[in-house]
Amino acid sequence: MSQQTDTRRIALVTGANRGLGRSTALKLAADGVDSIITYRSHEDEAKAVVAEIEALGGTAYALRLDTGRIEDFPAFTDEVRRVLKEGWNRDTFDHLVNNAGHSGNASIESTTVEEFDDLVAVHFRGVFFLTQALLPLIADGGRVVNVSTGLTRFTSPGKAVYGAVKGAIEVFTRYLAVELGPRGITVNTVAPGPVATDFSGGLVRDTPQVQEVLGGLTALGRVGQPDDIGDAVSLVVAPEAGWINGQRIEASGGIHL
């Protein structure tokens, strides 16, 4: 399908009711990009993000989605088609940001099969098959951004499975970039370092000692804020970034250099 350049761009951002996804959707709105955001729980937060986007002059919809439940993807795709037609009179959107996820914290020795399968289901299988389901709805010339982690380059105790599944996403990104190249769609990874969000129970956000230690490992001397990552994603999907493709872009303030 051809990209419809006579309208505002539209992004679909998963897990955007809080944290990095919320910041991404709001940064895109400030750049004139409308959004379909998803949430697994906390519908009130998602509605608040929609209201913030509307206050910035944009259009937004919030749809419930559990990225670990691939059996729900056909119905979700139908919902996306519905709101595209209702909100924009379109049958495509421009940017897919695969952000939704959660952390895991267990040593290799203590990781259970259930913990392993849960991280794979959300961070790899879910991203793969959700992207597959939505490919017909992404406009030619669009963008796909997969959110990874700095933990694919360096290690931290208890993050073996989480880092490994994000590593799989980085490989998937390169393969997807090749397959979508004929459609003019770029695919990149944004890999955050430590960010002050509620991720991992808000450990970085709520613990000054952790911020001091991790910030001291970065060249810029601080941990990241959600807007740092929202800014990075907005740069990658910008029209001027069309020659950046198949890349892992680490947004970490230069940690462990």
Side-chain angles (χ1 to χ4, degrees):
M1 299 178 182
S2 298
Q3 188 176 25
Q4 301 177 39
T5 56
D6 58 334
T7 60
R8 289 168 61 100
R9 289 179 290 151
I10 305 167
L12 193 159
V13 185
T14 65
N17 57 297
R18 60 172 65 180
L20 304 186
R22 173 184 178 274
S23 178
T24 294
L26 294 178
K27 287 291 183 178
L28 291 174
D31 290 339
V33 181
D34 295 335
S35 283
I36 300 168
I37 68 167
T38 79
Y39 64 96
R40 185 179 64 86
S41 56
H42 302 284
E43 182 181 9
D44 57 329
E45 295 177 347
K47 289 181 176 179
V49 175
V50 168
E52 290 182 82
I53 292 172
E54 291 174 345
L56 290 169
T59 300
Y61 288 82
L63 301 179
R64 190 179 184 282
L65 175 68
D66 183 342
T67 55
R69 291 177 52 85
I70 61 175
E71 61 269 29
D72 294 343
F73 292 175
F76 174 75
T77 302
D78 288 342
E79 276 291 280
V80 173
R81 287 193 179 95
R82 180 186 65 80
V83 299
L84 283 171
K85 184 62 67 175
E86 177 182 317
W88 297 276
N89 195 29
R90 286 185 54 175
D91 56 7
T92 62
F93 63 92
D94 303 288
H95 311 316
L96 171 62
V97 182
N98 285 309
N99 164 77
H102 63 285
S103 183
N105 190 43
S107 68
I108 294 171
E109 184 177 25
S110 65
T111 297
T112 66
V113 172
E114 291 76 18
E115 290 169 333
F116 181 96
D117 287 348
D118 187 43
L119 284 166
V120 172
V122 171
H123 291 282
F124 184 41
R125 187 182 66 173
V127 172
F128 185 101
F129 286 106
L130 179 63
T131 303
Q132 180 191 74
L134 294 173
L135 282 179
L137 305 185
I138 301 175
D140 290 355
R143 307 274 191 270
V144 177
V145 178
N146 296 320
V147 177
S148 180
T149 175
L151 294 167
T152 62
R153 178 174 66 84
F154 51 85
T155 64
S156 181
K159 302 299 184 183
V161 180
Y162 177 74
V165 293
K166 288 297 193 180
I169 283 300
E170 294 181 6
V171 174
F172 171 59
T173 293
R174 296 194 292 273
Y175 276 87
L176 188 62
V178 172
E179 289 202 18
L180 298 186
R183 293 179 55 190
I185 298 172
T186 67
V187 189
N188 292 287
T189 297
V190 170
V195 184
T197 68
D198 61 354
F199 208 62
S200 293
L203 178 66
V204 176
R205 181 194 61 198
D206 300 334
T207 314
Q209 298 91 330
V210 172
Q211 292 185 25
E212 182 178 357
V213 170
L214 294 178
L217 298 175
T218 71
L220 295 179
R222 66 173 178 85
V223 299
Q225 297 297 321
D227 283 353
D228 293 319
I229 310 306
D231 284 338
V233 175
S234 68
L235 287 171
V236 173
V237 304
E240 296 82 359
W243 198 236
I244 301 172
N245 196 20
Q247 302 303 303
R248 177 190 187 274
I249 300 164
E250 186 171 300
S252 67
I255 194 170
H256 291 304
L257 296 180

